[in-house]
Amino acid sequence: MRGGGLADAYSMYKRASTKDQFTDYEDREENLDRAENGVWKEIGNPSWKRPLPHILVAIISSLLFGYHLGVVNDTLESMSLDLDFSGSTLAEGLVVSTCLGGALLGSIFSGWIADGVGRRRGFQLCALPMIIGASMSAATSTLGVMLLGRLFVGIGMGLGPAVAALYVAEVSPAFVRGTYGSFTQIATCLGLLGSLLIGIPAKDTAGWWRVCFWISTIPAAILAVLMEFCAESPHWLVKRGRIDLAEEELEKLMGAPHVKYAIAEMSKTDKGDEVDNVRFGELLYGRHFKVVFIGSALFALQQLSGINAVFYFSSTVFKKAGVPTDTANTCVGIVNLTGSIIAMMLMDRLGRKVLLIGSFLGMAVATGLQVAAASSFVPSFAVLYLSVGGTLLYVLAFSLGAGPVPSLLLSEIFPGRIRAKAMALCMAAHWVINFLVGLLFLPMLEHLGPQIVYAIFAGFCLFALAFVKKNVVETKGKTLQEIEFALLPSH
């Protein structure tokens, strides 16, 4: 078994003398100096094709994340009739929010799981509750079991995105890391769009909502099985002191000529003796506070910009324009996917910071159009054009930067020693703000009106733009070690 081999290798490494380990690291640091002096510079970039199959397997977790976000949209009505909670807004709200609660739990523990058992096992542990939860939801005849199933699914949803961001950043060559990082957002869009299309027959076909849940178990099972054949993160292996295995995985991911340089560079930062020594308090104060604050703030501003509220309200906007709900949801999904594909092509050309600034600026303009549409100064014939146009522009702007960039950027700027646990903390902040925005949006809309609510969202977009300009550094084309050395204070 692969796991046994890992354990044996780790044991052999631990039995090596302290002197041997010190000499080994000295040799690696000397090798890195040779690399910096140009000895290995002529090798060029590693092949972008080698890590691609591993990344395509990993982003199945993001596909499942998007699918489960949207699977209850078209199925909730028929589900409520079959499970006898039709007309109960509390029960309908619980079916949606229980999943979000599970996601919060999953995200909190994602860092400890990813660091404890590795990225590959983290993906498999993400797939397991999704399979169990979706099966329970599909087979149940009671609301209680449905809620328990949704809780299990949510735990997998919370675990998956954090591990995917880590894994993609750690196995991708620097020159295409932005492109590959965008794959997670594209997969999420495809999953969301897929759930909307698969759910269309639910309103007319009895029991179709059960099929929608059963279908999701297939990609989850594929993820669990195929991840067994994927490479483990070399960064994680070096952190665990498994240098020989890290070299084997790097050869799979980059090719033999690049292994020595990559290992020498990782050994500068991902020291095995620091593993598992990260305390929660270290993330909240001291030398790591700045990068953790930037990461948490980015995720918070992503949600405070109003993305989930705009998605929620888009159906109402399109309905007023005479567009059926199914068509409206499909249009929004296609625009979201299109923007994510464009972001993928631009990520390693324009850089992360430029896309974030352009994205938040575009979102501010789009919410401004919504404010104008809600005012009394605009002619009635122009209101629908401003509303529909503002919604689509907002979704497009979000998918170009504010959607895909934060999770990629955070996996880049966090030092290797704290990367997994810091990501977990920031993802937890993301889910808390997500929940609060979802909870407060409708009451605010009712008491303040759409004009003020959209003005608030526009204000957060402009604040986010200023925050990014001041605090976010460009990471395009840099190795994770170069980014760490640039950002982390010496003491």
Side-chain angles (χ1 to χ4, degrees), residues 76-89 91-92:
L76 190 58
E77 184 179 342
S78 55
M79 184 196 310
S80 65
L81 292 171
D82 282 0
L83 302 183
D84 295 325
F85 63 87
S86 179
S88 171
T89 54
E92 291 177 355

Side-chain angles (χ1 to χ4, degrees), residues 49 102 198 287 323 373 384 439 491:
K49 297 179 182 178
I198 292 170
R287 65 200 300 246
V323 180
L384 289 179
L439 183 69
H491 51 79

Side-chain angles (χ1 to χ4, degrees), residues 113-183:
I113 291 172
D115 271 349
V117 301
R119 312 325 190 207
R120 290 170 57 252
R121 295 288 179 255
F123 280 116
Q124 292 172 324
L125 288 176
C126 150
L128 185 61
M130 284 190 168
I131 294 172
I132 295 172
S135 300
M136 291 173 67
S137 298
T140 185
S141 57
T142 65
L143 174 62
V145 177
M146 167 60 72
L147 295 179
L148 186 60
R150 291 291 285 166
L151 181 67
F152 274 112
V153 166
I155 291 171
M157 288 173 64
L159 179 58
V163 178
L166 288 171
Y167 185 81
V168 172
E170 292 177 346
V171 304
S172 301
F175 74 104
V176 289
R177 193 171 58 242
T179 300
Y180 286 162
S182 302
F183 281 14

Side-chain angles (χ1 to χ4, degrees), residues 193 327-341 395-396:
L193 190 58
T327 305
N329 289 337
T330 303
C331 287
V332 170
I334 290 173
V335 170
N336 196 16
L337 177 60
T338 302
S340 299
I341 293 173
V395 172
L396 179 64

Side-chain angles (χ1 to χ4, degrees), residues 24-36 39-41 43-44 46 234 238 243-268 479 481:
D24 184 51
Y25 274 114
E26 266 194 338
D27 290 344
R28 294 183 191 285
E29 292 193 0
E30 182 183 342
N31 286 339
L32 182 56
D33 291 337
R34 287 169 53 204
E36 289 172 348
V39 177
W40 294 331
K41 288 289 185 181
I43 294 175
V238 171
I243 308 297
D244 291 339
L245 283 169
E247 289 176 347
E248 291 178 17
E249 302 295 42
L250 278 167
E251 188 167 351
K252 292 180 191 175
L253 294 167
M254 296 187 176
H258 299 273
V259 171
K260 289 186 180 296
Y261 172 72
I263 284 290
E265 194 175 36
M266 286 182 212
S267 297
K268 286 250 181 185
T479 66
Q481 284 68 37

Side-chain angles (χ1 to χ4, degrees), residues 97-116:
S97 60
T98 301
C99 192
L100 299 179
L104 175 60
L105 284 176
S107 65
I108 289 172
F109 293 105
S110 62
W112 280 261
I113 291 172
D115 271 349

